Amino acid sequence: MNLDRTYWEGRYHTGETGWDLGGPSTPLKEYLDQLVDKDLKILIPGGGRAWEAEYAHRLGFRNVFVIDLTDAPFIDLLTRCPDFPKDHLIVGDFFAHEGQYDRILEQTFFCALDPALRERYVAHMHALLQPGGKLVGVLFNDALNTDRPPFGGFKADYLPLFAKHFSGISMEACHNSIAPRAGRELWLVAEKEGTYTPIDCNLYDRYEAAATLKQPVHLTLTNGQNLHGRIVDLFHRDKAEWLRLDSGAEVRSDQIGTFALDTG
Ligand SMILES: C[S@@+](CC[C@H](N)C(=O)[O-])C[C@H]1O[C@@H](n2cnc3c(N)ncnc32)[C@H](O)[C@@H]1O
């Protein structure tokens, strides 16, 4: 099956667009709602009729870009939202696109691609992000189809692919999926490593004290993941400070958002 521009254009022209929600999906809408920095440069690849781009634009984000193989869905967007900047609507192949973004939003683009392209998808997403930038969005955690889009897959298939390029990955059951997708989606956050900031000495002393006293700790990582346990090692790797918990989890110190002694 050749999933090229002609294929997708045909789907728009015949109205076979079952993926289209007619509005922004709840997970992406709620993600955009809590973003404070309206200057973030955001890319939505395979954005289709671009409901999320329109929503972000109306919230005041001014650097929202959409790329799609065909302009058929952009005509619809511009009818709904004539002031959306036309030069932010890119007609072309995601894999040939160059740029640097703070956020990339995923929704039914990954599952629209031939699974043979998944490794390239992850590598290219990584290349398109600024240091510290994030790929966020929803992935199906469901078998779906094997011979046509939407192609299925599961967390266990995706994690090794993402781990090849991203160090900070979170893929958890999505709690706010739209009803027909409930229980079948993962909320993905894949963060590109940032410019490293050396650890604050006071914090290092606190980690060291907790390790020496074998006190349980609670860490909230910058990607939202929570970790509990005892610190069993503080070490250097690649010129950065890391700590290891008794669970075996290893965390680079600049990926720790908050640290607390676990009293519970
Ligand atoms: C299933 S639709 C999803 C549209 C949109 N994300 C949504 O949720 O409504 C997949 C979209 O990806 C686009 N697409 C497929 N392959 C692409 C590629 N290599 N580069 C850019 N867009 C692509 C298609 O044209 C189509 O609009």
Side-chain angles (χ1 to χ4, degrees):
M1 187 168 208
N2 198 357
L3 299 172
D4 58 5
R5 178 180 176 152
T6 310
Y7 170 85
W8 289 105
E9 217 150 47
R11 299 278 305 244
Y12 284 104
H13 287 146
T14 54
E16 291 171 274
T17 56
W19 61 79
D20 193 297
L21 304 179
S25 78
T26 323
L28 291 186
K29 177 179 173 301
E30 292 185 3
Y31 178 74
L32 288 165
D33 285 342
Q34 55 80 51
L35 283 181
V36 178
D37 183 358
K38 299 285 192 286
D39 292 326
L40 288 173
K41 193 171 172 197
I42 300 174
L43 177 69
I44 309 184
R49 292 199 179 94
W51 299 98
E52 289 74 24
E54 177 186 357
Y55 185 73
H57 178 74
R58 293 190 194 281
L59 280 180
F61 290 92
R62 287 290 167 263
N63 290 307
V64 183
F65 294 77
V66 189
I67 180 165
D68 203 287
L69 272 182
T70 157
D71 65 354
F74 293 163
I75 295 164
D76 192 77
L77 168 70
L78 289 171
T79 309
R80 302 190 319 261
C81 187
D83 64 337
F84 194 96
K86 290 183 189 54
D87 57 339
H88 289 196
L89 297 174
I90 306 154
V91 181
D93 182 1
F94 160 78
F95 293 101
H97 181 60
E98 291 177 3
Q100 286 280 275
Y101 296 88
D102 301 302
R103 297 288 183 279
I104 305 183
L105 304 187
E106 163 57 48
Q107 178 174 264
T108 64
F109 175 51
F110 182 81
C111 68
L113 298 171
D114 184 326
L117 292 173
R118 286 180 177 174
E119 287 216 33
R120 274 184 69 197
Y121 165 103
V122 178
H124 199 53
M125 286 290 184
H126 188 266
L128 288 173
L129 285 166
Q130 304 269 19
K134 293 177 192 173
L135 165 65
V136 298
V138 274
L139 296 177
F140 278 111
N141 195 34
D142 194 351
L144 300 175
N145 306 320
T146 53
D147 58 345
R148 65 190 187 286
F151 294 100
F154 295 94
K155 179 175 173 176
D157 309 321
Y158 306 152
L159 269 176
L161 290 179
F162 282 81
K164 278 191 186 165
H165 295 275
F166 290 92
S167 47
I169 308 160
S170 157
M171 247 180 233
E172 298 306 326
C174 185
H175 71 91
N176 55 359
S177 296
I178 59 159
R181 296 178 187 172
R184 303 193 296 132
E185 279 185 326
L186 300 165
W187 178 251
L188 162 74
V189 181
E191 182 170 354
K192 180 165 177 168
E193 61 288 355
T195 316
Y196 182 70
T197 318
I199 193 168
D200 176 297
C201 292
N202 292 328
L203 260 179
Y204 193 86
D205 288 349
R206 289 183 66 199
Y207 298 160
E208 203 161 42
T212 308
L213 298 172
K214 299 189 170 41
Q215 288 170 310
V217 298
H218 176 188
L219 308 176
T220 304
L221 307 190
T222 49
N223 66 8
Q225 193 184 354
N226 286 297
L227 294 176
H228 297 264
R230 290 185 169 74
I231 301 172
V232 292
D233 197 11
L234 287 153
F235 59 100
H236 278 83
R237 182 192 292 152
D238 302 332
K239 297 186 187 151
E241 296 88 2
W242 291 69
L243 56 83
R244 185 179 302 113
L245 298 180
D246 50 0
S247 60
E250 293 181 346
V251 188
R252 208 174 72 177
S253 65
D254 66 334
Q255 288 169 352
I256 300 173
T258 61
F259 162 84
L261 292 180
D262 203 343
T263 50

